[in-house]
Amino acid sequence: MLTIAVSKGRIYEEALPFLEEAGITPTDDPEKSRKLILSTTRDDVQLVIIRATDVPTFVEYGAADMGIAGKDILLEHGAESLYEPLDLGIAKCRLMTAAHKDAPLPKGRIRVATKYVKIAQRYFANLGIQAEIIKLYGSMELAPLVGLADCIVDLVDTGNTLRANNLEPRELIMNISSRLVVNKAAMKMKNQAIAALLEQFELTLAKR
């Protein structure tokens, strides 16, 4: 049995064509079912539906053999212990800084609100900027509006939420897409099954 970890929402929806090409279709709709482990149309594959930030943890510790997660999540988690054989090129967005429109950042030490603490620390350190990182779990756009932070580091897709709150994207930190990750032990123990699935995913990618 192969177990694949994936999160609900955009990543799942955009990963579905890859799964279906490999004959993997869940027997229940994860958006409607309360089940966290979903059987599929393949007897040898099941899906576990978890929070996006938990995908690399489940794969690292062998609770799932494979997983699909955004590059932002992998970098923040620290995914050196995982194989990352494929960039699926789905759920694309940008990780950026954002701040009040037309307002320059203060000189010297700045305050940055983000859920990407490690990424933000590395980014500002590489620029030689002293940054106090404030960890938030949501509503990042609120932080500059109430004076909690000078800027934020967050994912940007359309930028509509930023504009609605009189903020603007500033510096691009990196382009983000979702990657397939594999547990290292599973790669050895279940090599044939995983290799066949990787080949099928690669064929699906080649058609795009």
Side-chain angles (χ1 to χ4, degrees), residues 21 50 65 76 81 88 99 131-132 167-168 172 178-179 196:
E21 284 283 341
I50 56 178
D65 302 300
E76 186 65 19
S81 58
L88 298 179
E132 177 186 355
L167 303 178
E168 64 179 3
L172 174 67
S178 289
R179 315 299 173 94

Side-chain angles (χ1 to χ4, degrees), residues 2 19 22 28 31 35-36 41 54 62 70 81 109 122-123 126 128 161 163 172 177 184 198 206:
L2 279 181
L19 298 172
D28 293 286
E31 298 296 340
K35 293 180 182 177
L36 299 178
T41 46
D54 290 335
S81 58
R109 191 177 182 86
R122 288 194 296 266
Y123 175 74
N126 288 338
T161 305
R163 285 190 290 272
L172 174 67
S177 58
K184 288 189 174 182
L198 288 176

Side-chain angles (χ1 to χ4, degrees), residues 179-197:
R179 315 299 173 94
L180 185 75
V181 291
V182 183
N183 174 274
K184 288 189 174 182
M187 193 68 142
K188 295 176 182 177
M189 301 292 291
K190 303 179 181 181
N191 181 265
Q192 190 171 353
I194 289 174
L197 204 51

Side-chain angles (χ1 to χ4, degrees), residues 136-178:
L136 294 180
Y137 294 90
S139 302
M140 299 300 160
E141 296 83 6
L142 189 59
L145 302 181
V146 298
L148 178 63
D150 301 304
C151 70
I152 64 173
V153 169
D154 203 9
L155 294 179
V156 177
D157 186 10
T158 63
N160 290 338
T161 305
L162 292 176
R163 285 190 290 272
N165 289 284
N166 203 32
L167 303 178
E168 64 179 3
R170 294 282 181 88
E171 301 299 322
L172 174 67
I173 297 176
M174 67 184 69
N175 290 305
I176 300 294
S177 58
S178 289

Side-chain angles (χ1 to χ4, degrees), residues 55-64 77 81-82 183:
V55 169
T57 301
F58 270 63
V59 177
E60 179 182 356
Y61 286 93
H77 173 84
S81 58
L82 303 175
N183 174 274

Side-chain angles (χ1 to χ4, degrees), residues 41-88:
T41 46
R42 275 183 51 165
D43 292 337
D44 60 337
V45 179
Q46 64 182 5
L47 304 181
V48 290
I49 307 300
I50 56 178
R51 188 185 294 268
T53 50
D54 290 335
V55 169
T57 301
F58 270 63
V59 177
E60 179 182 356
Y61 286 93
D65 302 300
M66 311 170 74
I68 299 173
K71 186 63 176 178
D72 55 319
I73 299 296
L74 297 174
L75 286 172
E76 186 65 19
H77 173 84
E80 297 82 6
S81 58
L82 303 175
Y83 286 123
E84 189 183 308
L86 280 181
D87 179 353
L88 298 179

